[in-house]
Amino acid sequence: MNTTGHEANTYELDALIVGAGFGGIYSLYKLRNELGLNVQTIDRAAGVGGTWFWNQYPGALSDSESHVYQYSFDRDLYNDTNWGTKFVTQPEILAYLNGVVDRYDLRKDIRLETSMTSATFDDRAGTWTVATDKGDTIICRFLITGLGLLSAINKPDFPGADDFKGEIVHTGAWPTDLDLTGKRVGVIGNGSTGGQVITAVAKVAGHLTSFQRTPQYSVPAGNRAWTAEELQAQKDNFEENWNQVKTSSVAMGFVESEVEMFSVSAEERERIFEAAWQNGGGFRFMFETFCDIATNPEANEEAAKFIRRKIGEIVHDPETARKLTPTDLYARRPLCDSGLYETFNQPNVSLVSIKENPIVELTEAGVKTADGVIHELDVLICATGFDAVDGNYKRIDIRGRNNELLRDHWVDGPTSYLGMATSGFPNMFMILGPNGPFTNLPPSIETQVEWIAGAIGYLAPKSGAWLEVRPETESEWTDICADIADQTLFPKAASWIFGANIPGKKRTVMFYLGGIAAYREILDSEAAEGYPGFVSHVSEPALV
Ligand code: NA7
């Protein structure tokens, strides 16, 4: 027995899946239900759902349209899913994922409130030994990590935080019993999450103060009910729609524009932007209007100017409008909102630009800024994002061949081949690891899980066999990702996409920006050619 009263066990599995979000759930289905392997999933959370379990803050909404923010592997599941609005809320997505788990009878092989504390590869046996915080030891051939792209929270350490008499919460670890009605609420951060939480909480808070470091470009989400015809068409056109998604770039369920910004007149640009603004959607605004907003600085400025003008038209107080208006590139993950700028017209909402007037410390009563003002608060919400992509990997002792620690392997920044494998860590397959595709996530997750299941299906019958990515393949992939990123404007904007949001984190390219279509082709040929990017090791004669 360990200190929790749980009897510690050592047991063997074919595969251990860590994480019960979109990726972990589908992996369990593929490996257990389809390949018939002995598999278990563990997750540190008290429920399944990953991101959608943790991010239960008010206003949490997916910014991918619902007809493509789901699984596509089972047409019956798709037909039975009836999401009535263009964008779906966190409770709906969490209910969906729970429904999927029950539909395929996965729950009995998911251990909740169980964290992987270490994982070590045994070169001789060709197995992974995983320790959990329950004291269990799991020995498995295949380790599938779906630890979450945006899961390790970034909570700033403000001086005086211990003195603050109110409550400090992070959106990514939201206490579901927190009632903000009538309270004095501060929100630090105004990314995708901050925008959602500000808009929702301002409706109930006594007063809301937004502490904004960098103003953001945001366009309306345009959320609305799908019409009956639209819903029917989504189901009738299942194959064509998903084929379109998987042969597109950002996998968002629309056809990306091929029109260059300056190939049309100024009037036509205005018409296209206005239509996109009215229709809604951040990715649509950036990628469906023109093809060069993310690559050509002048084209980018046209889009930025349009949004800046809208902010000026919406926000009544000129000083608030000035503070809310970005002046830099429109080159972060494109945001959309449900009335964010309008929220700043409410009498119970105020904005503090902490770039101009930094936070000095927290006091007993609230947040003190450089001008000496103490902003009195009952609750301080940190919508300050995540140590994205590799954050969770660095927090666990993962040791590959020769006892090499993954965080040492990634000392110059996280790398991988295809976002799924890193050299020295055989038979460890990451879902949404570094340098995976930058898209609407469920289609990329499905793509990766299907590829991983293919690789495991190939290895499983060969006793003790493992695949290990060649170091040179990994370096080439890193270079490819960097070259593609350099052709875009994204690296020029400081955001989590390049690790720029975490103090001290090395700025590196962390995504493959070549689009899902090209990505899927690379994956297909890697598997079809017998995994040439990998060294294939068989410790005993193959059984097949
Ligand atoms: P983001 O996009 O990383 O946004 C975090 C926000 O928090 C952003 O406004 C940051 O300002 C701000 N921030 C971070 N640290 C601090 C400190 N120390 N002081 C003040 N302000 C700070 O995270 P989100 O959760 O909004 O979104 C992440 C993704 O989740 C999103 O793209 C979707 O894919 C879903 P900054 O801009 O860095 O100046």
Side-chain angles (χ1 to χ4, degrees):
M1 297 279 267
N2 64 19
T3 50
T4 61
H6 166 90
E7 194 165 338
N9 291 310
T10 298
Y11 55 97
E12 292 185 18
L13 296 170
D14 294 322
L16 177 71
I17 299 160
V18 187
F22 259 103
I25 291 170
Y26 186 39
S27 299
L28 183 55
Y29 171 82
K30 288 294 284 184
L31 300 185
R32 195 201 70 181
N33 295 24
E34 286 192 359
L35 292 183
L37 299 178
N38 180 17
V39 192
Q40 201 176 77
T41 297
I42 59 172
D43 196 300
R44 71 187 164 95
V48 302
T51 291
W52 299 104
F53 175 85
W54 292 104
N55 285 271
Q56 303 201 16
Y57 60 85
L61 184 86
S62 165
D63 64 3
S64 302
E65 291 176 24
S66 61
H67 63 302
V68 293
Y69 199 78
Q70 47 181 304
Y71 293 116
S72 68
F73 69 86
D74 181 349
R75 189 170 184 161
D76 291 337
L77 168 66
Y78 194 81
N79 279 338
D80 292 345
T81 304
N82 291 306
W83 278 340
T85 50
K86 194 165 149 191
F87 298 103
V88 274
T89 61
Q90 174 272 329
E92 292 169 283
I93 304 167
L94 189 58
Y96 168 78
L97 290 171
N98 272 286
V100 170
V101 164
D102 291 331
R103 183 179 181 113
Y104 303 104
D105 194 23
L106 302 176
R107 203 173 292 274
K108 64 176 188 279
D109 289 310
I110 301 176
R111 303 275 166 275
L112 297 170
E113 295 181 282
T114 304
S115 299
M116 171 167 82
T117 52
S118 69
T120 308
F121 188 72
D122 177 340
D123 297 43
R124 215 171 33 81
T127 54
W128 283 93
T129 302
V130 172
T132 74
D133 63 348
K134 289 278 163 47
D136 292 332
T137 303
I138 301 159
I139 297 165
C140 56
R141 281 186 68 194
F142 306 106
L143 178 63
I144 296 93
T145 52
L147 303 186
L149 188 71
L150 294 154
S151 153
I153 62 174
N154 168 43
K155 199 166 175 185
D157 223 358
F158 292 108
D162 291 342
D163 300 333
F164 180 53
K165 290 276 183 274
E167 202 172 342
I168 305 178
V169 293
H170 191 286
T171 47
W174 190 261
T176 48
D177 56 354
L178 181 62
D179 181 7
L180 296 168
T181 313
K183 299 242 170 87
R184 299 165 303 173
V185 179
V187 180
I188 301 184
N190 55 302
S192 175
T193 304
Q196 292 182 344
V197 89
I198 289 166
T199 310
V201 171
K203 293 187 169 64
V204 298
H207 190 89
L208 184 143
T209 309
S210 161
F211 297 94
Q212 171 196 275
R213 192 161 67 181
T214 311
Q216 295 260 19
Y217 297 96
S218 184
V219 306
N223 202 6
R224 63 172 173 82
W226 293 119
T227 63
E229 293 72 33
E230 283 171 323
L231 278 171
Q232 195 53 49
Q234 287 164 14
K235 293 185 179 178
D236 291 347
N237 302 328
F238 177 89
E239 301 227 330
E240 301 88 299
N241 287 352
W242 283 103
N243 191 38
Q244 190 281 326
V245 167
K246 290 169 189 176
T247 53
S248 70
S249 177
V250 292
M252 282 281 174
F254 60 80
V255 177
E256 288 115 9
S257 172
E258 292 182 352
V259 178
E260 289 185 358
M261 182 75 68
F262 299 108
S263 67
V264 303
S265 66
E267 293 72 32
E268 180 63 359
R269 288 201 287 277
E270 177 67 19
R271 191 195 63 72
I272 290 172
F273 279 141
E274 185 59 33
W277 182 272
Q278 294 305 332
N279 186 31
F283 275 82
R284 282 188 188 266
F285 193 88
M286 187 180 268
F287 294 104
E288 195 181 28
T289 51
F290 297 98
C291 65
D292 47 0
I293 291 176
T295 50
N296 172 354
E298 283 81 34
N300 189 273
E301 177 60 16
E302 287 298 301
K305 266 192 327 211
F306 181 89
I307 302 176
R308 287 186 208 124
R309 199 184 76 216
K310 287 287 187 188
I311 299 171
E313 287 167 8
I314 295 168
V315 180
H316 301 158
D317 173 46
E319 182 59 2
T320 305
R322 180 190 68 77
K323 288 181 189 160
L324 282 170
T325 305
T327 51
D328 53 356
L329 282 168
Y330 174 42
R332 292 174 167 204
R333 191 178 181 282
L335 304 186
C336 60
D337 63 78
S338 306
L340 174 67
Y341 297 124
E342 290 83 348
T343 299
F344 288 90
N345 292 331
Q346 287 181 210
N348 68 331
V349 176
S350 48
L351 176 67
V352 177
S353 163
I354 56 173
K355 213 160 234 170
E356 298 171 3
N357 182 19
I359 294 174
V360 181
E361 60 177 348
L362 300 196
T363 70
E364 212 171 277
V367 170
K368 183 173 175 187
T369 41
D371 58 1
V373 173
I374 294 176
H375 305 268
E376 294 190 6
L377 302 173
D378 301 309
V379 179
L380 179 60
I381 299 174
C382 294
T384 41
F386 303 89
D387 184 355
V389 185
D390 61 328
N392 270 338
Y393 287 87
K394 290 181 306 198
R395 293 172 193 204
I396 304 170
D397 272 2
I398 301 177
R399 291 176 186 274
R401 279 198 308 105
N402 305 319
N403 219 26
E404 187 191 17
L405 255 180
L406 185 56
R407 27 174 195 281
D408 292 343
H409 183 64
W410 284 350
V411 72
D412 292 325
T415 56
S416 84
Y417 179 45
L418 307 171
M420 292 187 280
T422 189
S423 65
F425 296 79
N427 282 0
M428 180 178 105
F429 297 101
M430 298 177 280
I431 303 167
L432 303 182
N435 287 338
F438 184 74
T439 65
N440 169 38
L441 291 177
S444 283
I445 288 170
E446 281 194 321
T447 297
Q448 292 191 328
V449 171
E450 282 159 14
W451 190 88
I452 291 167
I456 291 177
Y458 163 85
L459 291 167
K462 302 177 174 66
S463 176
W466 78 60
L467 278 180
E468 180 185 354
V469 66
R470 298 173 195 276
E472 62 274 21
T473 314
E474 185 166 347
S475 315
E476 277 163 25
W477 183 251
T478 307
D479 292 345
I480 288 170
C481 293
D483 286 349
I484 297 173
D486 281 343
Q487 292 166 36
T488 76
L489 299 170
F490 287 110
K492 298 190 168 63
S495 81
W496 63 265
I497 302 174
F498 294 90
N501 62 327
I502 301 295
K505 185 164 177 170
K506 201 169 181 283
R507 262 201 192 202
T508 50
V509 175
M510 292 208 284
F511 286 94
Y512 170 73
L513 300 179
I516 193 169
Y519 180 72
R520 286 174 63 88
E521 279 178 23
I522 298 165
L523 259 54
D524 284 349
S525 61
E526 182 66 37
E529 290 165 23
Y531 306 97
F534 293 76
V535 177
S536 164
H537 176 98
V538 183
S539 58
E540 290 170 31
L543 296 179
V544 290

